[in-house]
Amino acid sequence: MRYVSTRGRAAEAGFGDVLLTGLAPDGGLYVPVSWPSITPQRIAAFSSTPYADVATEIAAPFCEGEIEPETLRRICSEAYAGFRHPAVTPLVQLGTNRWLLELFHGPTYAFKDLAMQLLSRLMDHVLAERDERATIVVATSGDTGGSAVEAFRGADRIDLFVLFPNGRISEVQRRQMTTAGDANVHTLAVDGSFDDCQALVKALFAKPALRDEVSLAAVNSINWARIVAQVTYYFVAAAALGAPARATAFCVPTGNFGDIYAGHVASRMGLPLEQLAIATNSNDILARTLESGRYEVRDVVPTTSPSMDIQISSNFERLLWEASKGDGEAVSTAMERLKQSGAFDIDGPALAAIKQDFTAGSADEAAMAEALSRTLDDAGYLADPHTAVALSVAGRMRSEAPLVTLATAHPAKFPDAVESVVGYPPERPAALAALFDREELFTEIAADVGAVERHIMDHARAARMEA
Ligand SMILES: *Cc1c(COP(=O)(O)O)cnc(C)c1O
């Protein structure tokens, strides 16, 4: 499979390069030149196929020619072996034709594990083949950091630097990043906000000398391999509920548009979807965009679903590219407007194309709390706040098809928010409780590019090897 940039000014690339670089050199995101298709017979067979085998089959066409089928099979099998449920992403029934897809049975109890566990192994494999090393720098507002640490700890060829805003994440989240104890994991507590952390990472990637010197790689949600990994559970859940004979509806709690975009990819690959619903919290840029055709950034409002407190939904650019029929110039212009004035307009035909494939709804804090309580009362199910945002939107959806809401985090990761709604904290699983007995290791650092760059140069093995 070959990949092109959504901004149309970068050379085509293969899977290995797309995997290791993340962002295209022209600032765009990589997209495949064509959609592979999965036949109805294969979709039907997924209902009795182990998760890792479905993951192999979905990923195969995207890395064809670059990763041997047997290697891919082994990598997928190892990636999902550490999950705490034999189905990896089990379905839970909430009501007549209403379901939850639990995506939080990975090592850090967050759905990010589903992609990160595969991504780390793919990267390590490609680096070994090329006899190269890489340095990953990632900013986190909470879940991504822990998931990355768990996925990359101990990797032979990769050093991981995680930047988090000191004092602004939950204790569980911090401990998930600071107690790994592996020599290749470097956790930096930045004296600043999440936006500062993200700006630092952007500034580091904008330094060509550093980029080359330590082979910087990005693992944030724009990395194409993460999208591919997320396509699998749409097929698995839909097949369990009768696909391809029956279409399925999904409602997805959305921030950076990675998770729901994977659902869209599943549909392009042949999975019959009745509806794909974007659920946002009060940071409802996507819901507003679908309504008005204007993508307009406002200030981020902090909520109890912090992983969705996002105004720029990075992966939306991939959809925009597709809706404008692969017109890289149009996407470039829109992104330039966004940078300069914080908004752009989507033209009529492109908006119509988007609305054909997506619906959208949002839930403010009161609606989230109402959905969380109602689900507990009606079905005895305690959801986390991100999931509850989507449950609120799903509650307002009409669907003849089985309606599946994606559950993206374990409630014990957000104990305060859950307790403030239901009056008691969720039970903490043993693996999360154990974090509180371990020693924490992290470096406090100023929100200063020079300081962070020096720290990386001093600690990245990729730099030492070349010195
Ligand atoms: C990352 C995250 C989301 C949002 O996923 P996107 O791919 O960014 O849309 C939702 N819920 C939780 C718990 C997350 O960690």
Side-chain angles (χ1 to χ4, degrees), residues 110-112 143-144 221 226 230 253-260 307-308 310 315 384 386 408-409 414:
F111 103 94
K112 305 269 188 311
D143 278 358
T144 303
S221 75
R226 279 184 63 174
Q230 296 175 146
T254 301
N256 242 330
F257 208 74
D259 198 1
I260 191 161
S307 298
M308 296 157 69
I310 283 174
N315 280 293
D384 98 288
H386 301 77
T408 48
F414 303 94

Side-chain angles (χ1 to χ4, degrees), residues 146-156 158-162 175-188 435 438-443 455 459 461 464:
S147 187
V149 166
E150 203 51 52
F152 288 96
R153 58 189 289 192
D156 280 346
I158 299 167
D159 291 303
L160 173 67
F161 293 83
V162 184
R175 286 180 171 274
Q176 283 184 324
M177 290 187 266
T178 58
T179 60
D182 296 80
N184 73 322
V185 172
H186 308 272
T187 309
L188 301 178
L435 291 171
R438 291 207 214 118
E439 194 194 339
E440 287 194 81
L441 201 66
F442 59 90
T443 305
H455 189 87
H459 293 88
R461 287 173 294 172
R464 240 173 287 157

Side-chain angles (χ1 to χ4, degrees), residues 24 32 49 82 96 108 136 150 192 210 214 216 228 237 239 250 275 324 336 346 351 354 358 377 406 464:
T49 307
T96 308
T108 73
I136 292 171
E150 203 51 52
L210 179 75
V214 299
L216 280 186
V228 170
F250 286 95
Q275 205 179 140
S324 49
E336 203 50 46
I346 302 174
L351 184 64
I354 291 171
F358 294 88
D377 290 346
L406 271 47
R464 240 173 287 157

Side-chain angles (χ1 to χ4, degrees), residues 15-22 123 126-127 130 132 134 216-218 223:
F15 182 77
D17 291 328
V18 166
L19 172 74
L20 293 179
T21 52
M123 282 181 131
V126 172
L127 288 168
R130 298 180 175 192
E132 288 173 7
L216 280 186
N223 191 301

